[in-house]
Amino acid sequence: MIAIRTLLTLTLLLGVGYPLAVTGLAQLMFPWQANGSQLTNGKQQLIGSALLAQKFERAEYFHSRPSASDFATLGGGASNLGMSSPLRAEFAKAEAKVQGGDPSPTLLTRSASGLDPHLPLDAVQAQVERVAKQRGLDPAALTERVQSGAQAGILGPRVVNILQLNLWLDKDNDA
Protein backbone atom coordinates (compact mmCIF):
# COMPACT_ATOMS: atom_id res chain seq x y z
CA MET A 1 0.00 0.00 0.00
CA ILE A 2 2.87 2.39 0.75
CA ALA A 3 4.36 1.65 -2.66
CA ILE A 4 1.09 2.52 -4.43
CA ARG A 5 0.74 5.80 -2.50
CA THR A 6 4.34 6.67 -3.28
CA LEU A 7 3.79 5.88 -6.96
CA LEU A 8 0.64 8.02 -7.13
CA THR A 9 2.25 10.90 -5.21
CA LEU A 10 5.36 10.93 -7.38
CA THR A 11 3.30 10.57 -10.55
CA LEU A 12 1.20 13.60 -9.62
CA LEU A 13 4.19 15.60 -8.43
CA LEU A 14 6.68 14.77 -11.18
CA GLY A 15 4.35 13.75 -14.01
CA VAL A 16 1.80 16.54 -13.67
CA GLY A 17 2.93 19.24 -11.26
CA TYR A 18 6.50 19.70 -12.46
CA PRO A 19 5.67 19.86 -16.22
CA LEU A 20 2.84 22.34 -15.54
CA ALA A 21 5.13 24.52 -13.41
CA VAL A 22 7.92 24.53 -16.02
CA THR A 23 5.46 25.26 -18.85
CA GLY A 24 3.85 28.07 -16.86
CA LEU A 25 7.20 29.66 -15.98
CA ALA A 26 8.38 29.40 -19.59
CA GLN A 27 5.18 31.08 -20.82
CA LEU A 28 5.61 33.88 -18.27
CA MET A 29 9.34 34.47 -18.66
CA PHE A 30 10.08 33.48 -22.28
CA PRO A 31 6.80 33.40 -24.25
CA TRP A 32 8.36 33.86 -27.73
CA GLN A 33 10.85 31.03 -27.21
CA ALA A 34 8.35 28.77 -25.42
CA ASN A 35 6.01 29.02 -28.41
CA GLY A 36 8.63 28.02 -30.97
CA SER A 37 10.33 31.33 -31.88
CA GLN A 38 7.94 31.70 -34.80
CA LEU A 39 8.68 34.19 -37.58
CA THR A 40 5.97 35.80 -39.70
CA ASN A 41 5.99 37.91 -42.84
CA GLY A 42 4.38 41.34 -43.30
CA LYS A 43 0.97 39.68 -43.80
CA GLN A 44 1.34 37.89 -40.45
CA GLN A 45 1.65 34.51 -42.17
CA LEU A 46 3.87 31.97 -40.45
CA ILE A 47 7.17 31.62 -42.31
CA GLY A 48 9.13 29.37 -39.96
CA SER A 49 11.04 29.26 -36.72
CA ALA A 50 14.14 31.26 -35.91
CA LEU A 51 15.53 28.00 -34.52
CA LEU A 52 15.26 25.94 -37.74
CA ALA A 53 17.07 26.39 -41.03
CA GLN A 54 15.24 26.47 -44.32
CA LYS A 55 16.40 25.62 -47.81
CA PHE A 56 17.26 28.62 -49.98
CA GLU A 57 18.44 27.82 -53.49
CA ARG A 58 17.76 30.97 -55.51
CA ALA A 59 20.72 33.26 -56.12
CA GLU A 60 19.06 36.32 -54.53
CA TYR A 61 19.04 34.63 -51.12
CA PHE A 62 21.77 33.81 -48.66
CA HIS A 63 22.15 30.04 -48.55
CA SER A 64 22.09 27.99 -45.37
CA ARG A 65 24.60 25.32 -44.53
CA PRO A 66 23.73 22.04 -46.32
CA SER A 67 21.45 19.65 -44.47
CA ALA A 68 21.91 15.88 -44.48
CA SER A 69 18.14 15.52 -43.99
CA ASP A 70 17.21 18.11 -46.65
CA PHE A 71 15.89 20.37 -43.85
CA ALA A 72 13.24 17.86 -42.74
CA THR A 73 12.74 18.22 -38.99
CA LEU A 74 11.63 14.63 -38.40
CA GLY A 75 14.69 13.11 -40.03
CA GLY A 76 17.13 15.77 -38.81
CA GLY A 77 20.64 14.57 -38.23
CA ALA A 78 24.22 14.83 -39.28
CA SER A 79 25.94 13.13 -42.16
CA ASN A 80 29.21 11.27 -42.06
CA LEU A 81 30.69 13.18 -44.99
CA GLY A 82 34.17 13.82 -43.65
CA MET A 83 36.77 16.32 -44.84
CA SER A 84 38.65 13.56 -46.70
CA SER A 85 35.59 11.95 -48.31
CA PRO A 86 35.78 11.53 -52.10
CA LEU A 87 32.19 12.79 -52.25
CA ARG A 88 33.38 16.14 -50.89
CA ALA A 89 34.94 17.09 -54.26
CA GLU A 90 31.64 16.39 -56.04
CA PHE A 91 29.74 18.37 -53.44
CA ALA A 92 32.21 21.29 -53.70
CA LYS A 93 31.78 21.32 -57.49
CA ALA A 94 27.99 21.42 -57.22
CA GLU A 95 28.10 24.12 -54.54
CA ALA A 96 30.54 26.24 -56.60
CA LYS A 97 28.08 26.12 -59.47
CA VAL A 98 25.26 27.33 -57.19
CA GLN A 99 27.41 30.00 -55.52
CA GLY A 100 28.83 31.27 -58.80
CA GLY A 101 32.42 30.83 -57.65
CA ASP A 102 34.35 29.22 -54.83
CA PRO A 103 32.01 28.71 -51.87
CA SER A 104 33.03 29.38 -48.30
CA PRO A 105 34.52 26.27 -46.63
CA THR A 106 31.68 26.50 -44.08
CA LEU A 107 29.16 25.92 -46.87
CA LEU A 108 30.93 22.67 -47.72
CA THR A 109 30.28 21.17 -44.30
CA ARG A 110 26.89 20.08 -43.09
CA SER A 111 25.25 21.24 -39.90
CA ALA A 112 25.56 18.81 -37.01
CA SER A 113 21.81 18.74 -36.49
CA GLY A 114 20.98 19.29 -40.14
CA LEU A 115 18.72 22.14 -39.01
CA ASP A 116 21.02 24.87 -37.69
CA PRO A 117 19.76 28.27 -38.95
CA HIS A 118 23.02 30.07 -38.22
CA LEU A 119 26.16 30.50 -40.31
CA PRO A 120 29.47 32.00 -39.20
CA LEU A 121 29.81 35.65 -40.23
CA ASP A 122 32.61 34.92 -42.73
CA ALA A 123 30.45 32.34 -44.55
CA VAL A 124 27.67 34.89 -44.90
CA GLN A 125 30.07 37.61 -46.05
CA ALA A 126 31.35 35.25 -48.75
CA GLN A 127 27.83 35.35 -50.24
CA VAL A 128 27.32 39.13 -50.10
CA GLU A 129 28.59 39.86 -53.63
CA ARG A 130 26.25 37.32 -55.22
CA VAL A 131 23.18 38.44 -53.26
CA ALA A 132 23.91 42.16 -53.76
CA LYS A 133 24.33 41.65 -57.51
CA GLN A 134 21.10 39.63 -57.81
CA ARG A 135 19.07 42.16 -55.81
CA GLY A 136 20.70 45.31 -57.18
CA LEU A 137 21.98 46.34 -53.76
CA ASP A 138 25.17 48.09 -52.75
CA PRO A 139 27.56 45.37 -51.47
CA ALA A 140 28.97 47.69 -48.79
CA ALA A 141 25.49 48.45 -47.43
CA LEU A 142 24.57 44.77 -47.47
CA THR A 143 27.81 43.88 -45.68
CA GLU A 144 26.99 46.47 -43.04
CA ARG A 145 23.50 44.98 -42.61
CA VAL A 146 24.92 41.47 -42.31
CA GLN A 147 27.39 42.60 -39.66
CA SER A 148 24.70 44.45 -37.71
CA GLY A 149 22.61 41.26 -37.63
CA ALA A 150 25.46 39.08 -36.37
CA GLN A 151 25.11 37.51 -32.94
CA ALA A 152 27.80 36.26 -30.60
CA GLY A 153 28.39 32.54 -31.06
CA ILE A 154 28.14 30.35 -27.98
CA LEU A 155 31.72 29.11 -28.13
CA GLY A 156 32.79 30.00 -31.64
CA PRO A 157 32.70 32.89 -34.07
CA ARG A 158 29.91 35.42 -34.52
CA VAL A 159 26.95 33.96 -36.39
CA VAL A 160 24.06 35.19 -38.54
CA ASN A 161 20.57 33.69 -38.66
CA ILE A 162 20.06 33.08 -42.40
CA LEU A 163 16.26 32.85 -42.26
CA GLN A 164 15.95 36.17 -40.45
CA LEU A 165 18.44 37.80 -42.83
CA ASN A 166 16.53 36.58 -45.90
CA LEU A 167 13.22 37.72 -44.40
CA TRP A 168 14.75 41.15 -43.84
CA LEU A 169 15.88 41.24 -47.48
CA ASP A 170 12.38 40.39 -48.70
CA LYS A 171 10.79 42.92 -46.36
CA ASP A 172 13.24 45.61 -47.44
CA ASN A 173 12.53 44.93 -51.14
CA ASP A 174 8.74 45.01 -50.57
CA ALA A 175 8.90 48.47 -49.00
Side-chain angles (χ1 to χ4, degrees), residues 60-82:
E60 67 265 20
Y61 288 109
F62 287 94
H63 296 172
S64 300
R65 186 188 306 261
S67 170
S69 64
D70 199 32
F71 301 96
T73 56
L74 292 177
S79 74
N80 290 327
L81 183 61

Side-chain angles (χ1 to χ4, degrees), residues 15-170:
V16 177
Y18 179 74
L20 285 175
V22 169
T23 302
L25 282 173
Q27 288 294 332
L28 282 172
M29 297 172 66
F30 309 105
W32 189 67
Q33 294 90 335
N35 291 309
S37 304
Q38 298 176 346
L39 299 173
T40 56
N41 62 12
K43 299 174 187 171
Q44 296 306 309
Q45 296 169 321
L46 181 63
I47 298 296
S49 170
L51 303 174
L52 298 172
Q54 289 188 13
K55 189 176 202 172
F56 290 98
E57 295 179 311
R58 297 193 337 229
E60 67 265 20
Y61 288 109
F62 287 94
H63 296 172
S64 300
R65 186 188 306 261
S67 170
S69 64
D70 199 32
F71 301 96
T73 56
L74 292 177
S79 74
N80 290 327
L81 183 61
M83 297 298 278
S84 62
S85 171
L87 296 174
R88 186 172 166 80
E90 287 179 40
F91 182 69
K93 219 182 290 181
E95 193 62 26
K97 186 177 177 184
V98 170
Q99 294 292 330
D102 289 334
S104 163
T106 304
L107 293 174
L108 296 179
T109 56
R110 292 188 162 101
S111 164
S113 68
L115 303 169
D116 184 13
H118 297 94
L119 271 183
L121 184 58
D122 64 338
V124 178
Q125 288 176 327
Q127 301 181 61
V128 165
E129 287 293 326
R130 173 182 48 81
V131 174
K133 181 180 175 187
Q134 289 293 318
R135 290 188 177 255
L137 299 172
D138 176 35
L142 187 54
T143 298
E144 187 177 312
R145 173 61 181 120
V146 165
Q147 289 177 344
S148 72
Q151 307 161 353
I154 294 173
L155 294 175
R158 293 177 57 195
V159 294
V160 177
N161 186 306
I162 297 300
L163 177 57
Q164 289 178 320
L165 180 60
N166 285 333
L167 285 174
W168 174 83
L169 284 170
D170 283 347

